[in-house]
């Protein structure tokens, strides 16, 4: 193909059609799928038994509200039980007991909870020290935790969080097996990021 | 009250007031979505009815819409520089008809077109406010015309504005401070030229003045909501058609007069880009509107890219195998360059240098495409290769060649040290000779590339209706018979339109080269050929390019002719000429031609100021209607590939011959599609608008003009993007 800056194409397409008063012309049909996704959301990923079988590593399905969904593979487990998950496009999240305590390479924000490994390990009330990214800020959050059993005998943890410095309050939920293995969680991680839902698929490897 | 309690309250208030400087980073969360200023009901950055001195960043575009009885106003706003805001708007005036001829304009209300600008004189500092000067409705009918000088200063979460206005912004009728300079500032004439389109410079800043001011309050922890309060200086006894048919013969009711000069409003930002606004104006009128604004000029503006270069699997093994035979190097280059959407045309190894010649259509940034080509070569070439060279061709013509020692490429790649890499790069014009290479993969000519895409034709603002549109489907193709011989085609078929209601006939007294648009629109709703153009390209000397073309160039003209362009590789200008025999096409846009034909041609001059990326293009010669003159085109290109431009033409026809609008003018912008995608793309979408299209100063539009085809044949257009080299 012969390539050029689009001036002549623009003029070629637009100006001949310019009406006796005025005219505009728009060929941005490529934008339509993106706009549609932003309004109606994206289709969820249906994780099938076959998909679980075929994946070599443990993985997590991550939903950002209705705006995006993806799968992340388990990359490493640190000595203090922080799980590192990675996506195909190098987004990384770090979880501790199912709670996201750090993110890397997310587009619209990021978080790093300095004392995130205290989650479920110590007292039920406490304070998180948090670095928010994009934009940068250091804040503290008061949290309190409640625990209950759901109908299936799973453990449901509710985490009430209040941010100091600006208005950002929310409740995160975490579902665990009776052996305290994370099954699913829904959590806020950043004011500019839709609520994150994690569904864990652990494999014995 | 207890003195100490009072003192403590005062200190608390003071701390709150200056809290932004103490916890400045948290402010981004207390006042989110406040990156950009908000818009007034007049479609420019401002308070409710009044302007502020604020601006969007350079390279921004915005749309604004407001409904304030009796006006509906839609605006397009562009920011070609950080100090310039230019907007164009349509105002639907609901207390007047377009005309009193029902059979012509029906019940359509009056539509006013206007152009506003604002120039920032001083940037906000610690003590100084932003100070801007601007004008409204500068080249239209003048029914909203006003000028102002305004300052805006931010204190914590309050944005204070104070200004002085003239024209419609002169409610207080204070004596004009400029009267000391000249008597012309003492009074103001509101007479309008029936042809419109001229700047009535003599009335600028003249007549009585008025002070105005207001506050924009950023409400903490409210998702970025803002509250606005202003003291209005608009003289509603002057603006629009205030007294119904006493002001204008087609007006049918007066405008509601204000009960108050204090206006109040809120702005709710859904995001940084989308703001909704609601206000209570004049003490008796509710108004509503929204604006969409985006800074589109920067690298990775709007959407962050996720399109990294591919890492070749088992590259070390490939390298080893490639040591055995040059043929293997060529074949793997062909394969892995294609995976990067870089299409190998030739390859050669000599004197420890691997040289590939390629074409590409995926990257706006030529530096990035070259960098990716070298990255592929570095991954697969055997260690004996010490130098890498990638040369680009387009339309079978050599564009540029980039080469560098392999060791330098590798040394700077890891940490993206593109500045150092640039120092070791040899960038030169590329002289393309097909027989010079050891490897010449066969290309199956003729090769056809095609796509099917929706098409939309719109006509806005005519007296017979505000919007006419046609939705259709377009088939576009390009067939290459050789690398330098191409055939462009574009065929459309309408699906739905409302063109039957178009009535406006051309009133032009010169040849109807454009004003028969209504006939073209109405008679081409079925199958229509919008282009079928055969092209031949050649580079006749190191820096001179020619093109011959024939066929259907555009919806209104076919013909034949040619173009020549001298474009020095190390210069920032081009000089060219073009000459065409043009035949006016039948309205149905098939193969027939009408009686009108003309020889048309121009001398073209282009100059690019390399720092600002401002491009000045002059096109002087004989236009399609036989008039002679010059077309002036000014545009600015931004890092993202966004271009914002405006043009006007002056020819030897009189204002009367030209008709409404007095002379040809308009604006346009090209927006790269990749701004809305995580992937790179070379495609653009365009928007252009002429307030009035007439027959004077119209030139033939032919596809693949040489200035565009040879863009990368000038070093400034590659080096400007060198920060993309390792992207």
């Amino acid at each position: 193909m012969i390539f050029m800056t689009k001036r002549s194409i623009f003029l070629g397409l637009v100006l001949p059609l310019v009406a006796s008063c005025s005219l505009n012309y728009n060929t941005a049909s490529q934008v339509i799928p993106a706009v549609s996704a932003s309004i109606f959301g994206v289709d969820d990923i249906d994780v099938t038994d076959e998909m679980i079988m075929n994946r070599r590593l443990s993985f997590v399905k991550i939903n950002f509200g209705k705006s995006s969904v993806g799968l992340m593979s388990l990359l490493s487990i640190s000595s203090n039980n922080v799980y590192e998950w990675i996506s195909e496009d190098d987004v990384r999240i770090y979880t501790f007991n199912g709670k996201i305590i750090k993110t890397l390479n997310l587009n619209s924000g990021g978080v790093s909870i300095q004392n995130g490994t205290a989650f479920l390990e110590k007292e039920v009330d406490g304070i998180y020290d948090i670095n928010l990214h994009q934009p940068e800020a250091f804040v503290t959050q008061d949290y309190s935790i409640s625990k209950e059993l759901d109908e299936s005998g799973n453990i449901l943890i509710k985490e009430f969080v209040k941010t100091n410095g600006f208005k950002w309050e929310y409740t995160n939920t975490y579902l665990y097996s009776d052996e305290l293995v994370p099954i699913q969680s829904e959590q806020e991680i950043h004011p500019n990021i839709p609520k994150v839902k994690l569904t864990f698929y652990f494999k014995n490897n | 009250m207890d003195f100490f309690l009072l003192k403590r309250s005062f200190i608390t208030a003071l701390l709150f007031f200056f809290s932004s400087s103490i916890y400045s980073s948290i402010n981004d969360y207390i006042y989110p979505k406040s990156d950009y200023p908000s818009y007034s009901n007049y479609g420019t950055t401002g308070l409710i009815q009044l302007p502020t001195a604020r601006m969007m960043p350079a390279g921004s575009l915005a749309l604004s819409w407001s409904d304030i009885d009796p006006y509906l106003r839609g605006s397009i706003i562009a920011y070609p520089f950080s100090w310039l805001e230019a907007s164009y708007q349509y105002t639907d005036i609901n207390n007047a008809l377009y005309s009193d001829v029902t059979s012509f304009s029906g019940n359509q209300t009056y539509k006013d077109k206007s152009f506003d600008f604002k120039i920032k004189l001083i940037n906000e500092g610690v003590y100084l406010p932003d100070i801007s000067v601007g004008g409204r409705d500068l080249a239209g009918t003048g029914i909203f015309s006003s000028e102002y000088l305004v300052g805006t200063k931010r204190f914590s979460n309050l944005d204070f504005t104070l200004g002085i206005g003239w024209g419609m912004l002169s409610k207080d009728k204070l004596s004009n401070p400029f009267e000391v300079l000249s008597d012309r500032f003492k009074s103001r004439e509101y007479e309008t030229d029936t042809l419109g389109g001229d700047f009535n410079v003599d009335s600028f800043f003249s007549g009585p003045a008025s002070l105005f001011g207001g506050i924009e309050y950023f409400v903490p922890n409210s998702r970025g909501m803002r509250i606005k309060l202003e003291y209005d200086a608009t003289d509603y006894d002057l603006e629009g058609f205030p007294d119904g048919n006493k002001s204008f013969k087609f007006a049918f009711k007066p405008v509601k007069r204000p009960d108050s000069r204090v206006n109040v409003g809120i702005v709710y930002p859904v995001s940084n880009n989308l703001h909704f606004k609601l206000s209570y104006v004049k003490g008796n009128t509710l108004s509503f509107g929204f604006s969409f604004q985006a800074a589109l000029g920067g690298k990775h503006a709007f959407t962050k890219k996720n399109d990294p270069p591919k890492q070749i699997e088992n590259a070390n093994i490939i390298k080893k195998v490639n040591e055995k035979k040059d043929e293997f190097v060529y074949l793997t280059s062909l394969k892995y360059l294609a995976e990067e959407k870089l299409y190998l045309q030739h390859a050669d190894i000599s004197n420890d240098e691997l040289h590939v010649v390629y074409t590409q259509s995926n990257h706006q940034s030529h530096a990035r495409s070259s960098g990716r080509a070298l990255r592929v070569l570095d991954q697969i070439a055997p260690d004996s290769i010490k130098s890498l060279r990638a040369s680009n061709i387009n339309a079978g013509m050599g564009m540029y060649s980039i080469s560098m020692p392999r060791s330098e490429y590798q040394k700077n790649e890891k940490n993206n040290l593109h500045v150092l890499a640039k120092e070791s790069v040899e960038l030169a014009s590329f002289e393309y000779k097909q027989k010079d290479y050891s490897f010449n993969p066969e290309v199956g000519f003729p090769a056809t590339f095609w796509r099917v895409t929706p098409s939309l034709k719109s006509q806005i603002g005519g007296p017979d209706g505000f919007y006419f549109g046609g939705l259709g489907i377009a088939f576009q193709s390009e067939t290459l018979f050789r690398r330098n011989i191409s055939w462009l085609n574009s065929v459309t078929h309408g699906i739905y339109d409302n063109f039957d209601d178009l009535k406006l006939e051309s009133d032009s007294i010169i040849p109807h080269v454009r004003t028969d648009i209504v006939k073209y629109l109405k008679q081409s709703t079925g199958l229509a050929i919008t282009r079928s153009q055969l092209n031949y390209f050649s580079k006749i000397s190191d820096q001179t390019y020619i093109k011959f073309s024939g066929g259907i160039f555009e919806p209104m003209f076919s013909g034949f002719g040619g173009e020549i362009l001298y474009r020095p590789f190390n210069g920032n200008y081009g000089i060219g000429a073009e000459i065409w025999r043009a035949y006016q096409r039948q309205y149905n846009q098939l193969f027939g031609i009408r009686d009108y034909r003309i020889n048309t041609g121009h001398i073209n001059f282009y100059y690019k100021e390399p720092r600002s990326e401002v491009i000045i293009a002059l096109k002087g010669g004989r236009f399609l209607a036989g008039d002679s003159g010059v077309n002036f085109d000014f545009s600015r290109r931004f890092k993202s590939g966004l271009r914002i431009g405006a043009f006007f033409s002056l020819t030897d026809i009189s204002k009367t011959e030209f008709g409404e609008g007095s002379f040809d003018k308009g604006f346009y912008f090209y927006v790269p599609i990749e701004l809305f995608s995580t992937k790179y793309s070379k495609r653009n979408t365009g928007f252009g608008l002429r307030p009035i299209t007439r027959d004077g100063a119209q030139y033939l539009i032919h596809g693949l003009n040489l200035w565009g085809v040879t863009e990368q044949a000038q070093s400034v257009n590659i080096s400007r993007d060198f920060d993309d080299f390792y992207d």
Side-chain angles (χ1 to χ4, degrees), chain B residues 334-498:
Chain B
L334 179 72
K335 172 180 162 56
Y336 291 108
L337 284 169
E339 288 187 3
E340 285 284 1
K341 297 179 182 169
L342 307 170
Y343 302 105
L344 184 79
Q345 304 295 305
H346 311 280
D348 200 30
I349 294 174
S350 64
N351 301 325
D352 297 337
E353 181 182 79
L354 172 57
H355 180 197
V356 293
V357 178
Y358 72 99
T359 64
Q360 68 94 16
S361 65
N362 198 48
H363 297 280
Q364 304 233 16
S365 166
H366 305 296
R368 190 191 308 116
S369 77
S370 301
R372 290 196 173 195
L374 296 191
R375 183 189 293 266
V376 168
L377 302 187
D378 179 51
Q379 288 182 79
I380 60 165
D383 292 338
S384 57
I385 298 296
K386 303 297 180 196
S387 176
L388 305 171
R389 177 184 295 270
S391 300
N392 178 256
I393 59 170
N394 197 16
M397 301 183 290
M399 298 284 115
Y400 70 95
S401 188
I402 210 166
S403 67
M404 68 190 298
R406 189 176 185 180
S407 58
E408 290 296 319
Y409 177 86
Q410 292 172 338
K411 192 168 74 181
N412 299 312
E413 181 194 4
K414 193 172 179 183
N415 295 310
N416 189 14
L417 302 175
H418 54 83
V419 177
L420 293 178
K422 193 175 179 181
E423 288 176 4
S424 55
V425 155
E426 187 186 308
L427 179 61
S429 177
F430 177 52
E431 193 175 345
Y432 174 49
K433 289 177 184 167
Q434 290 200 31
K435 290 175 184 169
D436 274 352
Y437 306 94
S438 308
F439 182 66
N440 303 287
E442 193 176 323
V443 182
F445 291 119
T448 298
F449 308 88
W450 60 272
R451 64 179 177 143
V452 176
T453 180
S455 73
L456 178 68
K457 300 172 187 174
S458 305
Q459 186 188 4
I460 302 170
D464 37 4
F466 182 68
Y467 181 80
F468 291 97
L471 184 66
I473 193 159
F475 172 81
Q476 296 168 346
S477 69
E478 181 177 8
T479 299
L480 296 181
F481 297 104
R482 295 169 61 107
R483 287 190 177 88
N484 62 337
I485 299 177
S486 70
W487 183 30
L488 292 179
N489 279 291
S490 176
V491 178
T492 62
H493 195 289
I495 296 171
Y496 173 78
D497 66 81
N498 61 351

Side-chain angles (χ1 to χ4, degrees), chain B residues 649-668:
Chain B
S649 303
L650 300 174
T651 70
D652 57 357
I653 54 173
S654 66
K655 282 186 182 180
T656 311
E657 286 174 305
F658 186 87
E660 186 182 353
S662 302
F663 63 97
D664 188 47
K665 55 193 167 297
F667 66 88
Y668 60 87

